[in-house]
Amino acid sequence: MRNCYLGIDVGSVSTNVVLMDENKEILGKVYTKTQGKPIDAVKRGLKEVQYQITDEIKVKGVGTTGSGRHLAAMMVGADVIKNEITAHGIAALNFVKGVRTIFEIGGQDSKIILLKNGIISDFAMNTVCAAGTGSFLDRQAARLDIPIQEFGNKALLSENPVRIAGRCAVFAESDMIHKQQLGHNQEDIIKGLCDALVRNFLNNLGKGKDLAGPVVFQGGVAANVGIKKSFEEALGFEVLVPPHHEVMGAIGCCLLAQEHASKNNGTDFKGFDIVHSGYQVKGFECLDCSNGCEVIEIMKDGQLTARWGDKCGKWSNNITTDQEKLA
Amino acid sequence: MKVTFPHMGNQYIATKVLFEELGVDIIVPPVCSKETLEIGTKYSPESICLPLKINIGNFIESIQQGADTILMSGSCGPCRFGYYTMLQKEILQEIGHNIDFVLLDPPQGDYKTFVNRIFHITNTKNPYKIIKALAQGTKVLYQVDELDDIAYYKRPRQRKIGEVDNLLEQFQKEVRNVKGYKEMKQLVGETKEKLMAIEEDPNKEVIKVGLIGEIYTIIEPFVNLNVEKKLGEMGVELDRSLKVSRWLTEHLYLHPLGLSMEKDIIKEAKPYMKTMIGGHARETIGYAVKYAKEGYDGLVQIYPFTCMPEIVAQSILPTIEKDFDIPYLCLIVDELTGDAGYSTRLEAFVDLLKRRREMKEDAKLLSGY
């Protein structure tokens, strides 16, 4: 029987589940597309990670992160619910010694995290535009009919990259189309896009920040060797891509869950059996005041288990009394 | 005559008392809501700063309830705020509301117009009555700002999360039902006692953050997406650089006499910004330095999108961050601000501050041996 920690990162594009043992060894990891259905994705992730494990395990703690962290936490019974920035920071600190800067590019957002003396000292998230994040690259790859896995390799073949305006996703796309109609070859356009995205990232997020090495590049986009190379060219030094770069958020959750378990007894984990439960989500607009909050209700097997979205707390707070009434 | 005025945090409570004491009919605009913002955004220029949009929303919602006179204060225009009244008048006229606008700018030599405006809006020519009501209004303002201070202290320490804000929400509702200085004073007093009585959890770890930035966005909770509640419940004790009560005393009473309470702040800001550049940029810088020197754990700056003075301050704050080794987070709000991204940043910032605090305490322990 091995003691394990479960980490779940529910992002906009992918949902990642990681199972880590007490010696920080990754026993299983799942990277699955969210596809707008976070509940299904979490269930699928749990099911797949269960298949990967052969030994008998005992889950000692669970952590969730990502934009769907509250939903996932409610489903599995999480001990720690953390924001993406802290989760990514903790993960990089444990896997790369002395890391000073983290670039993280995910599906919908990109962030930069600076560390000093082993703790996060500063961070920034993209505010202006989604240009340069995973979903934009996905879209461009699909438009050019290149599998996203080969997108980065194509960029490496470029000898004469074109200059593309990367400030905004819409303009970047029309600029790319313009260059393609002029007759530039695909490799040069892709390399130009990678350069533009890196330029945009460093200008938008890295502005005024002291970017010291070692630099770690993680998140789904880190799989793209073209972007990695563009970063290295722009910075003038090597950028490291850790082995589990695409699931670093989930790994951070495992580490946070482990820390939590060392301080507290027991876990709220509801067990892997929840993959068989049926979850329904209902929403309604509360019309009791002019705020018009959109309240979300989560039903597990027909029973109301959680509510959120209201500003005043009237709905989310009286959930326990409802349960008592049902019982 | 039915007078209305824009919202700005707790200011409406004092204005309500002031007019009720004078016997003037008033309409307090409904609490700022999504609807207020939608109305405001619809009729305002797209790139104007957020406060104007909220103001317009407040006005139209009050007009729908029968208001026919609007009272606006000005400050002789250190930023776009100085043009608010003119612009708002035009906007309302364009959509067919012929409203009497009364602007109360500090008198710059022209005392006659100023006094006439006061007589007009107060519906009396008895200076004693006006001064008495003004004094009562000011007193209420200070009392309500004191409630906020108590809430800052209690929020991170409350045993049952949410208790402080339930109480304050109740208070905001009851404010609309009481009339005049006496009743208001009693209500504020009762609320204060209840707030003080809220049970504390002595084991909670509390960090201190200074809230700086543009005055309207840091004062109006709807605009800053309840930053005080969010941070408070994450275990942060706040101090806000600008308050309506302080602003009023500064601009209404002290400024015309050539006095200022802000001398210290100006002095603190001096190495970074020598002169007034408009808005509250100098105060933002000054308070940042003050909080840093007082050992606060972090700084949060909030300002409305396109606010020039705060943009200048924002470009100076990283230097202060480095000079005093104090982390700083900047949040910019407008009608497109999303709650989720905002909360994520605040959460991560609080995590960062807590870890830093832990590290510092560990280092202290080690060096103690």
Side-chain angles (χ1 to χ4, degrees):
Chain A
M1 179 94 86
R2 285 167 92 170
N3 288 335
C4 282
Y5 301 93
L6 185 67
I8 304 172
D9 178 355
V10 184
S12 57
V13 171
S14 73
T15 295
N16 316 323
V17 180
V18 165
L19 207 56
M20 184 190 85
D21 76 358
E22 278 177 319
N23 305 320
K24 301 193 167 90
E25 198 181 310
I26 309 297
L27 300 179
K29 66 168 179 177
V30 177
Y31 178 94
T32 176
K33 297 271 178 197
T34 309
Q35 289 168 327
K37 292 177 197 144
I39 293 176
D40 293 349
V42 170
K43 279 197 208 171
R44 199 165 57 238
L46 285 176
K47 221 185 262 173
E48 283 176 30
V49 89
Q50 221 183 346
Y51 281 134
Q52 291 178 10
I53 312 294
T54 43
D55 307 352
E56 200 157 302
I57 54 154
K58 189 174 164 42
V59 176
K60 300 283 276 182
V62 184
T64 61
T65 188
S67 43
R69 58 185 180 274
H70 294 287
L71 186 71
M74 187 278 308
M75 283 177 69
V76 299
D79 304 303
V80 192
I81 307 172
K82 267 290 167 213
N83 58 80
E84 306 88 292
I85 296 164
T86 310
H88 277 283
I90 297 279
L93 274 172
N94 276 277
F95 282 82
V96 182
K97 266 228 148 64
V99 54
R100 291 289 309 275
T101 308
I102 301 167
F103 297 156
E104 200 273 338
I105 306 186
Q108 287 284 313
D109 60 27
S110 46
K111 30 189 144 4
I112 193 165
I113 307 170
L114 303 184
L115 305 110
K116 213 189 253 171
N117 305 326
I119 55 166
I120 299 174
S121 68
D122 197 3
F123 64 86
M125 264 169 103
N126 60 332
T127 48
V128 200
C129 178
T133 57
S135 21
F136 179 63
L137 287 173
D138 252 352
R139 214 178 107 74
Q140 293 314 317
R143 197 177 64 78
L144 297 171
D145 202 19
I146 300 170
I148 186 72
Q149 295 81 354
E150 286 164 31
F151 202 69
N153 289 324
K154 282 257 180 196
L156 297 185
L157 300 174
S158 162
E159 282 167 4
N160 186 23
V162 297
R163 193 174 169 87
I164 291 189
R167 172 67 68 201
C168 150
V170 176
F171 291 142
E173 180 165 342
S174 55
D175 207 23
M176 275 173 74
I177 294 174
H178 176 67
K179 294 277 152 57
Q180 145 205 327
Q181 312 296 53
L182 280 179
H184 289 282
N185 70 37
Q186 224 168 35
E187 288 82 19
D188 291 344
I189 295 177
I190 294 174
K191 172 71 177 156
L193 181 66
C194 292
D195 285 347
L197 299 186
V198 163
R199 202 164 51 232
N200 191 17
F201 181 94
L202 292 175
N203 284 340
N204 185 356
L205 297 178
K207 187 167 273 169
K209 296 198 185 341
D210 185 19
L211 305 180
V215 175
V216 170
F217 180 24
Q218 58 196 40
V221 176
N224 187 319
V225 284
I227 300 267
K228 176 177 182 278
K229 177 133 185 279
S230 294
F231 264 125
E232 286 171 345
E233 282 168 8
L235 292 169
F237 49 77
E238 205 198 340
V239 171
L240 302 162
V241 175
H244 303 291
H245 64 88
E246 78 284 15
V247 294
M248 287 301 259
I251 292 177
C253 284
C254 295
L255 293 162
L256 286 163
Q258 189 180 21
E259 192 191 305
H260 181 266
S262 69
K263 286 182 191 161
N264 301 277
N265 278 329
T267 172
D268 292 334
F269 185 48
K270 294 178 182 164
F272 284 100
D273 290 341
I274 62 130
V275 297
H276 304 300
S277 295
Y279 288 91
Q280 286 97 40
V281 185
K282 278 202 301 187
F284 64 91
E285 193 175 335
C286 168
L287 295 172
D288 292 359
C289 78
S290 52
N291 276 326
C293 300
E294 290 143 12
V295 184
I296 305 287
E297 282 185 331
I298 313 282
M299 320 277 282
K300 184 191 173 194
D301 296 329
Q303 194 185 346
L304 186 64
T305 44
R307 270 196 197 124
W308 56 72
D310 48 341
K311 281 209 172 89
C312 63
K314 163 165 82 184
W315 297 103
S316 39
N317 287 344
N318 81 33
I319 191 89
T320 40
T321 50
D322 278 17
Q323 269 174 343
E324 273 164 16
K325 264 182 224 155
L326 283 168
Chain B
M1 186 171 73
K2 280 195 171 172
V3 180
T4 191
F5 48 88
H7 267 301
M8 180 168 171
N10 291 326
Q11 160 269 128
Y12 80 99
I13 299 171
T15 315
K16 181 171 145 68
V17 167
L18 168 69
F19 280 115
E20 278 166 356
E21 285 299 320
L22 287 165
V24 176
D25 257 355
I26 55 157
I27 293 198
V28 178
V31 184
C32 295
S33 65
K34 258 193 336 204
E35 221 175 297
T36 316
L37 184 56
E38 260 164 43
I39 298 173
T41 314
K42 188 172 165 195
Y43 296 115
S44 311
E46 195 244 331
S47 56
I48 195 75
C49 31
L50 189 62
L52 185 118
K53 295 177 185 172
I54 304 272
N55 283 177
I56 291 285
N58 287 151
F59 294 155
I60 292 178
E61 281 182 317
S62 288
I63 291 169
Q64 284 163 354
Q65 296 187 8
D68 57 18
T69 307
I70 290 171
L71 174 70
M72 263 299 274
S73 77
S75 46
C76 300
C79 71
R80 278 194 277 199
F81 178 57
Y83 301 104
Y84 267 29
T85 332
M86 320 299 148
L87 188 56
Q88 287 165 343
K89 214 173 176 173
E90 297 258 323
I91 291 173
L92 290 180
Q93 252 168 14
E94 223 164 75
I95 52 176
H97 297 299
N98 241 332
I99 290 284
D100 190 8
F101 248 100
V102 180
L103 171 68
L104 279 191
D105 246 346
Q108 291 173 305
D110 186 5
Y111 281 91
K112 204 176 157 219
T113 320
F114 180 69
V115 170
N116 279 338
R117 280 178 184 169
I118 291 188
F119 286 161
H120 173 60
I121 196 91
T122 53
N123 216 6
T124 174
K125 289 199 172 177
N126 180 349
Y128 171 71
K129 205 174 156 188
I130 297 174
I131 289 171
K132 192 181 160 207
L134 196 59
Q136 286 171 329
T138 312
K139 256 188 223 161
V140 167
L141 198 55
Y142 270 93
Q143 288 162 358
V144 180
D145 273 347
E146 197 196 337
L147 282 188
D148 271 353
D149 283 338
I150 300 172
Y152 290 155
Y153 179 82
K154 282 283 184 180
R155 256 193 216 107
R157 294 178 173 86
Q158 56 190 344
R159 194 176 285 276
K160 209 176 126 216
I161 292 219
E163 223 175 330
V164 170
D165 287 278
N166 285 344
L167 202 63
L168 288 181
E169 218 163 278
Q170 194 60 35
F171 168 71
Q172 300 278 1
K173 269 184 200 150
E174 280 168 28
V175 159
R176 288 175 182 263
N177 303 326
V178 301
K179 210 171 172 197
Y181 176 66
K182 258 199 180 146
E183 285 181 35
M184 190 67 78
K185 193 181 158 194
Q186 200 189 345
L187 175 64
V188 176
E190 281 167 12
T191 310
K192 186 179 160 187
E193 266 172 40
K194 279 188 213 158
L195 261 182
M196 300 283 267
I198 285 178
E199 203 189 339
E200 289 177 29
D201 180 354
N203 298 324
K204 279 201 176 157
E205 180 197 5
V206 176
I207 54 171
K208 284 182 94 176
V209 166
L211 191 59
I212 51 179
E214 192 275 330
I215 183 163
Y216 188 85
T217 42
I218 61 174
I219 285 177
E220 179 56 47
F222 170 73
V223 170
N224 59 38
L225 304 160
N226 275 313
V227 72
E228 294 177 0
K229 181 175 178 229
K230 283 198 176 98
L231 282 174
E233 291 182 353
M234 288 177 205
V236 174
E237 184 181 341
L238 277 176
D239 190 58
R240 195 171 61 199
S241 62
L242 303 165
K243 288 185 180 143
V244 194
S245 50
R246 258 190 245 164
W247 183 86
L248 186 83
T249 313
E250 180 77 15
H251 286 265
L252 197 66
Y253 304 124
L254 297 177
H255 209 250
L257 303 172
L259 299 170
S260 176
M261 292 187 298
E262 310 268 288
K263 286 225 167 73
D264 299 354
I265 299 305
I266 292 170
K267 212 176 115 197
E268 298 288 20
K270 210 166 183 190
Y272 302 94
M273 188 180 277
K274 288 197 193 75
T275 181
M276 152 100 173
I277 61 150
H280 285 99
R282 187 158 57 164
E283 281 82 353
T284 298
I285 300 285
Y287 274 103
V289 175
K290 178 174 168 265
Y291 288 138
K293 283 187 179 166
E294 283 172 7
Y296 275 65
D297 294 288
L299 299 168
V300 174
Q301 184 198 17
I302 306 179
Y303 69 82
F305 191 49
T306 72
C307 176
M308 185 279 286
E310 292 298 325
I311 292 172
V312 177
Q314 188 196 357
S315 62
I316 294 174
L317 282 167
T319 316
I320 296 175
E321 184 179 14
K322 231 175 261 165
D323 288 357
F324 292 91
D325 190 28
I326 181 168
Y328 140 80
L329 177 74
C330 177
L331 297 167
I332 305 169
V333 291
D334 72 351
E335 68 270 22
L336 305 172
T337 308
D339 208 329
Y342 198 88
S343 300
T344 301
R345 286 173 177 81
L346 285 174
E347 255 177 54
F349 188 63
V350 171
D351 272 349
L352 181 167
L353 297 181
K354 284 192 172 159
R355 294 248 167 197
R356 259 174 70 101
R357 164 78 71 93
E358 275 169 29
M359 288 277 286
K360 267 190 195 159
E361 268 159 21
D362 287 353
K364 241 187 242 165
L365 274 179
L366 282 176
S367 60
Y369 281 109

